[in-house]
Amino acid sequence: MAAASGNRARDKYSVLLPTYNERENLPLIVWLLVRSFQESGGNFEIIVIDDGSPDGTREVAEQLEKIYGSDKILLRPRAKKLGLGTAYIHGMQHATGNFIIIMDADLSHHPKFIPEFIKKQKEGNFDIVSGTRYKGNGGVYGWDLKRKIIRLYRKEVLQKLMEKCVSKGYVFQMEMIVRARQLGYTIGEVPISFVDRVYGESKLGGNEIVSFLKGLLTLFATT
């Protein structure tokens, strides 16, 4: 048991965050991610892969890197928009964690689910943990190729899958799971309620916005 808890302490989670014109969302998603990891006690890094956003996303990421530290926020930009699959490959080359979390910077998912992914992975020693979309009433929400999903992978499993995948864009995420099943990797699932997006049907609570702004003020005051 001691060995298991020792391994647990050494686990590190690298969040890959591809961005394109996410200047407004990025500070909030990073703040929510940092808070989620701090509350759960996980060791983490957030790798921002900006594809030459014209709206100043890169400059915002540079500020976040200064605020949180370059050990926690790693800006690894690319010159132009080159697609989701290659963004993950690019990000993974810079990842130092033994687990990789893939999510989107557009606030379509709340980072508060991440501790559940980590817990699920440990429970079943899964190779991959995928978010399953549920509506608020518990029914499964229909798959839509454009619907992005949070996923957690063992780093070596993701590397192998990347070598096999040929799709571009959102289809790439679907192909990853199909290939994972073909290769016999174990997949755990965490239900993510459809209404629990940061924006959308249930908007970010007023208290959360207030504490986000307070948190930002504190950070800017101390850097």
Side-chain angles (χ1 to χ4, degrees):
M1 213 43 219
S5 58
N7 289 342
R8 200 163 287 191
R10 283 195 295 275
D11 284 338
K12 183 175 181 181
Y13 300 89
S14 299
V15 181
L16 302 189
L17 214 55
T19 58
Y20 188 76
N21 287 352
E22 300 286 1
R23 183 170 64 98
E24 291 179 4
N25 293 338
L26 191 61
L28 184 52
I29 200 80
V30 165
W31 180 75
L32 289 168
L33 277 165
V34 170
R35 190 179 69 168
S36 180
F37 278 111
Q38 284 174 342
E39 284 174 0
S40 61
N43 187 14
F44 72 97
E45 63 184 3
I46 300 165
I47 300 171
V48 179
I49 306 121
D50 185 60
D51 274 3
S53 299
D55 74 337
T57 300
R58 179 175 173 167
E59 289 71 21
V60 169
E62 284 166 357
Q63 289 301 313
L64 293 168
E65 205 170 30
K66 284 181 194 149
I67 290 166
Y68 292 103
S70 54
D71 58 325
K72 292 295 179 208
I73 310 293
L74 291 75
L75 175 59
R76 297 295 179 265
R78 303 190 298 175
K80 61 179 191 288
K81 205 169 184 189
L82 297 165
L84 207 53
T86 58
Y88 293 142
I89 292 166
H90 179 77
M92 202 162 56
Q93 287 165 353
H94 300 282
T96 60
N98 54 328
F99 287 98
I100 307 280
I101 293 169
I102 284 177
M103 64 182 299
D104 205 82
D106 68 357
L107 300 175
S108 58
H109 303 108
H110 200 302
K112 70 180 179 188
F113 292 110
I114 286 175
E116 292 176 40
F117 278 66
I118 292 169
K119 185 171 165 238
K120 173 64 84 174
Q121 191 282 324
K122 291 187 192 313
E123 275 171 11
N125 200 26
F126 292 110
D127 296 315
I128 301 165
V129 178
S130 183
T132 310
R133 287 282 202 164
Y134 287 89
K135 281 187 194 165
N137 62 10
V140 178
Y141 193 80
W143 269 104
D144 167 354
L145 285 182
K146 290 233 162 148
R147 204 163 281 303
K148 294 159 227 159
I149 208 91
I150 309 178
R151 292 236 174 92
L152 181 151
Y153 298 84
R154 288 185 196 279
K155 188 179 187 181
E156 65 275 16
V157 168
L158 184 56
Q159 280 167 329
K160 288 201 182 87
L161 288 172
M162 292 285 196
E163 289 163 14
K164 305 259 183 225
C165 284
V166 293
S167 306
K168 297 265 190 297
Y170 301 121
V171 185
F172 170 83
Q173 299 196 51
M174 296 295 294
E175 187 188 353
M176 295 275 275
I177 282 295
V178 172
R179 300 243 181 227
R181 291 209 168 99
Q182 285 171 349
L183 294 166
Y185 290 127
T186 55
I187 304 168
E189 292 191 343
V190 170
I192 298 178
S193 52
F194 180 59
V195 295
D196 240 328
R197 294 176 302 168
V198 180
Y199 291 143
E201 289 171 54
S202 68
K203 291 191 164 50
L204 193 68
N207 290 343
E208 237 171 352
I209 291 284
V210 169
S211 55
F212 167 63
L213 293 172
K214 278 185 185 160
L216 265 192
L217 287 172
T218 309
L219 285 167
F220 281 116
T222 54
T223 51

